Amino acid sequence: MNKIQIIVFSLLVGLTFPAAAQGSKVEKKDKFFGQTIDVGADKELTREESTAAVSVITSQDFDHRSAKNIGNSILGQGNGLVSLQNNSRVALQNPTFYVRGLQTLNRMNAPLILVDGIERDITSITAEEVESVSVLKDAAAVALYGYKGTNGAILITTKRGKYNSRTIKFTYDHLFNSLVKKPRFVDAYTYGRAINEARQNDGLTPRYNNKELEALRTGTLPYLYPNINWVDETFRNQFMTNKYNLVFRGGGKSFRYYTMLDLISDKGYIKNPHENDGYSTQDKYVKGNLRMNLDISLTPTTDIRVNLLGILQETSQPGKQADLWSMVYSLPAAAFPIKDEHGVWAGSDTWSGTINPVAQSIGAAYYKNHSRSLFFDVTVKQNLSSWLKGLSAVARVGYDNTSNVYENHSKTYVYSVNAPSWADSDTEPTVKKATYGTDSPMGEGAAVNAYSRRLHFDGGFDYQQTFGLHSLFSQLKWDYEYEDPEGLNNTLYRQDVTWWTHYGYNNRYFADLALVESGSSRLAPGTKWAFSPTLSAAWVISKEHFMQYIGWLNFLKLRASAGIINADYLPGDNEWTYYAQQYATSGVTYPFDSGWNSEFGRTYLGRMATANPSHEKAYKYNIGIDAKLLGGLDVTIDLWKQHRTSIWVSSAGKYSAVLGMDAPYENAGVVDSHGLELGLDYNKRLGHVIFNAGGNFMFTKNKIKDMLEEPRLYKNLVQTGNPYTQIYGLEAIGFFKDEADIAASPVQTFSIVKPGDVKYRDVNGDNVIDSNDKVAIGHSTTAPEIYYNFHLGAEWKGLGFYALFQGTGNYSAILNTKSMYWPLVGNTTISQYAYDNRWTEATAATAKFPRLSSQSNANNYQTSTLWLADRSFLKLRNIEVYYNLPQSLLAKTKVVNGAKLYIRGVDLLCFSHLEKSDPEAYGVMPLNKSIAVGLSVIF
């Protein structure tokens, strides 16, 4: 960190030092330092005026992916924002976000998501209705959001109408989607050899004799010894997505409107969904958005702003919400045929027919979810200058309601079992036949299974005035929020009283002061309210007289902020009763059974109450530089540090077992984090060519300073002082060569070891390998410490291209996916990769994985460096080639004002250290890549 600080300080000096030796310059506003910054105070500041650390992603930046929502559209973008995808089902394609990485314990690291200033779900918003996405990073940026802004925030600002204009825009996208790095499992014959080898290694008899292996190899008895590629039989290679968007935008002299209709329809990857009369079993996703944003100047002093969004969403999948990918990863090619010779679904005595993925995708009918959402807010602003010049009043009320209705039309089916047995002396196998299950009618269950509603109100007074060289804006506001999600004991009330003041002198010195008092119903009596002060300042150095002769330096601003942001997180699994003594019973909750016998059992003390509870606090510090060089190079640098204290942790490590009951939660956790962010963007026009290139780099690091860790027997076991989500495991030093090697090595206590098993280092030197030999290995599997992107674009006479690459570093994976890396255990299958790289006496020198085993092997499947992989990657997030039709041609139509044709590639390339898996999703379900063709027309 010291080197990073030196580099940034040197850059600052380098930008300012040549002031005395340069010529004159002319300064003008542009899209960088004239960019609008919103920190929640109903006051839009330019980047020149703002003192906060905020990065802004505009619609021109994220309109390149043809994604289902704005969350997927900003993947890989935003300086200070970590975004990671994790699913191929379109219905579940919702990235994970972190602002400035991981900063606290207990999985409480998600940022606040805001849509037009109110907390809302990012998955509901389409990219087409969004004007910009702002990443709010430091205390000055999130101060006004009270308890909710501790982890930073993502502010989505939707589009609005335009005065004295009228346009209609239609956009259509057609996407060809395919699965990335589909798993490849061995065929039936190879599986037979592999399971025989594994059982031999385990000292068991083979599962298949030579005749059975030959039948698996030749395929002469497909109903008894089948060879099924379950991946190809269950899923198709490609599936389609269609997106339609229609926008009406405009306004008059005192009225603006923005109306959007958006429809997305995805037909998933089930291979044969239309085998039943009257219904489909396809994995489908359909969503429609209707947005209307209105701005009305009701009187010369009264303005009204209305935002209304309605959403209808329907998802459908095979019956019983079957996890088809998990089934595919479980079934060997030799398990059973898809159907028997009579056309009945098949199963076996070892693998039930209820995990036949083809049968589940066709014969189990379907399950549907219908989601309905309404988001509404209205703001009234009244100019009160007739009372006091510069005074105004603002009030806003918002109401959101979301519900989900499921339809369970699942059914069961009959499946047959043909269990062959082929003795060496017989010329053909004997077969034991059985039938299981019933062919039931389709289910008719339907009910509301989830709902959520939110009421938001805020109101206050603004005062804005200029006194000579002094400018002042001050706001006093009260906001109230009521949230009622589905479930028990989770209704939430929050209030904030905020006073925010922005001061400027001579358009070059700026200061912001935020004083916030926040209350939350989640917290214990006496601790519900907390005070959060934040102070920030900025100095526009480029406006100083001594800078006026630096021709290559167009803009330079130094800013700094410091503040305390409180959080209302609950301990454990949202245990709202942490401040009261808990009691439990050893029996049922009713004191008498039907025979009037007591089964109440005994009552005993449960978890102890927290004495003197508090709440988590974040001390945030930031120093940053914004600069524009050479008329086209935009530079942003931020150095930040955060000190989190009073984090909820269990105090079990603080006490011994003498306590006699569950230890209480305490506000004793401490995590320090720091980081660096660098952003560059260069724009240049050369004749008819417009060129753009740039990128962002982010480095974050956190360290646990205290978490009431229990005393450890050895130093290598201590976790305090390491990063949050650090991996702990054994150091693998190879495989045991033979029995002599085992005898000469320290005793490994996890299970009986054999040649080909993993050999571990004796870290603590006690000549025994056990859990006391674990050490910190690799990096986090949750979020990378390094996150970066770079983009390149150019346009010539309407023909252009754009490409965005995004990568990560200091990011780890534990390769524990069943069958792919941990094969055969629990009657699962084995991937070709695991089979080719297993340990045998012949492959001992090159093997990557231990010997095969058909049983759970506690020694080999320990978390260790053997399964540790570098998860760093570089992806081509999106690439677009487009053509804007010339205005000379469009003018002839007299109705078309603009038209754009484009083809896009989404996640087409990935460079990583994982040979057979995608680094963002190395588990069971692979990700997608897409080719999109589209058309946009403006009337």
Side-chain angles (χ1 to χ4, degrees), residues 28-337:
K28 63 180 181 179
K29 295 291 185 181
D30 73 350
K31 69 174 186 178
F32 178 60
F33 52 85
Q35 191 175 56
T36 299
I37 303 296
D38 185 356
V39 295
D42 302 313
K43 169 66 175 175
E44 292 185 344
L45 303 173
T46 64
R47 185 173 295 279
E48 183 179 61
E49 300 168 316
S50 174
T51 64
V54 179
S55 65
V56 180
I57 314 168
T58 66
S59 56
Q60 292 79 14
D61 298 325
F62 57 68
D63 186 21
H64 300 289
R65 281 182 66 88
S66 300
K68 80 161 192 173
N69 58 31
I70 185 61
N72 286 278
S73 297
I74 62 173
L75 265 172
Q77 300 188 65
N79 199 6
L81 178 65
V82 175
S83 50
L84 302 166
Q85 60 181 343
N86 51 24
N87 210 295
S88 62
R89 279 194 68 207
V90 173
L92 301 177
Q93 282 178 2
N94 300 311
T96 300
F97 294 105
Y98 302 102
V99 173
R100 292 185 164 175
L102 305 176
Q103 302 174 16
T104 187
L105 307 174
N106 306 322
R107 305 180 303 280
M108 301 296 184
N109 282 282
L112 171 66
I113 306 296
L114 299 157
V115 180
D116 293 325
I118 297 177
E119 183 179 2
R120 283 169 175 151
D121 184 7
I122 195 172
T123 65
S124 304
I125 309 299
T126 65
E128 287 75 12
E129 63 194 291
V130 175
E131 187 69 42
S132 66
V133 178
S134 300
V135 183
L136 312 182
K137 299 182 286 188
D138 68 343
V142 300
L144 299 183
Y145 296 109
Y147 282 131
K148 300 191 293 184
T150 317
N151 293 326
I154 299 172
L155 171 61
I156 299 167
T157 303
T158 60
K159 293 177 180 177
R160 313 208 70 78
K162 296 182 178 180
Y163 290 118
N164 301 315
S165 65
R166 182 179 63 188
T167 60
I168 300 174
K169 182 179 179 181
F170 174 74
T171 304
Y172 171 69
D173 293 88
H174 182 77
L175 287 81
F176 302 88
N177 309 304
S178 58
L179 297 171
V180 177
K181 291 190 174 181
K182 289 195 300 184
R184 182 187 170 203
F185 300 110
V186 299
D187 60 21
Y189 175 65
T190 306
Y191 168 77
R193 296 182 60 191
I195 192 64
N196 282 356
E197 179 183 316
R199 289 176 64 84
Q200 182 179 0
N201 291 339
D202 296 333
L204 304 173
T205 59
R207 175 169 292 175
Y208 300 100
N209 60 29
N210 290 334
K211 291 183 177 181
E212 291 175 310
L213 287 175
E214 183 64 13
L216 291 174
R217 187 184 70 83
T218 61
T220 53
L221 298 171
Y223 293 109
L224 299 179
Y225 298 97
N227 182 23
I228 307 298
N229 186 326
W230 291 109
V231 175
D232 290 347
E233 294 294 339
T234 307
F235 306 112
R236 57 186 179 184
N237 293 326
Q238 291 187 335
F239 52 102
M240 310 298 178
T241 303
N242 289 290
K243 294 176 81 265
Y244 310 86
N245 185 267
L246 182 62
V247 171
F248 301 88
R249 189 177 194 180
K253 184 178 179 181
S254 58
F255 173 76
R256 289 187 297 168
Y257 64 88
Y258 176 88
T259 301
M260 183 210 70
L261 295 93
D262 184 89
L263 175 67
I264 179 172
S265 174
D266 175 81
K267 297 179 180 179
Y269 42 73
I270 304 300
K271 186 175 183 178
N272 297 301
H274 305 297
E275 300 295 308
N276 302 283
D277 292 333
Y279 65 89
S280 168
T281 59
Q282 185 57 270
D283 193 333
K284 295 184 293 185
Y285 173 82
V286 179
K287 181 170 78 75
N289 280 28
L290 173 59
R291 171 174 287 279
M292 183 172 63
N293 289 351
L294 303 176
D295 294 87
I296 306 168
S297 297
L298 198 62
T299 72
T301 60
T302 307
D303 294 326
I304 297 177
R305 184 174 63 214
V306 177
N307 299 318
L308 177 64
L309 174 63
I311 301 170
L312 300 177
Q313 177 179 296
E314 180 178 288
T315 62
S316 179
Q317 64 186 109
K320 299 185 181 297
Q321 300 177 279
D323 189 345
L324 301 181
W325 278 109
S326 180
M327 296 177 186
V328 164
Y329 271 74
S330 299
L331 282 179
F336 46 73

Side-chain angles (χ1 to χ4, degrees), residues 98 120 185 264 285 297 305 317 351 354 391 403 468 504 552 568 580 623 653 712 755 851 860 867 890 898 908:
Y98 302 102
R120 283 169 175 151
F185 300 110
I264 179 172
Y285 173 82
S297 297
R305 184 174 63 214
Q317 64 186 109
W351 298 277
T354 58
L391 182 66
S403 65
W552 54 269
D568 63 349
I623 183 170
R712 303 289 186 178
R851 67 178 175 90
N860 292 344
W867 306 110
L890 298 177
L908 295 184

Side-chain angles (χ1 to χ4, degrees), residues 546-559:
F546 60 81
M547 300 291 289
Q548 295 304 303
Y549 300 101
I550 308 178
W552 54 269
L553 181 60
N554 309 97
F555 174 73
L556 176 64
K557 183 183 75 173
L558 175 66
R559 52 184 161 76

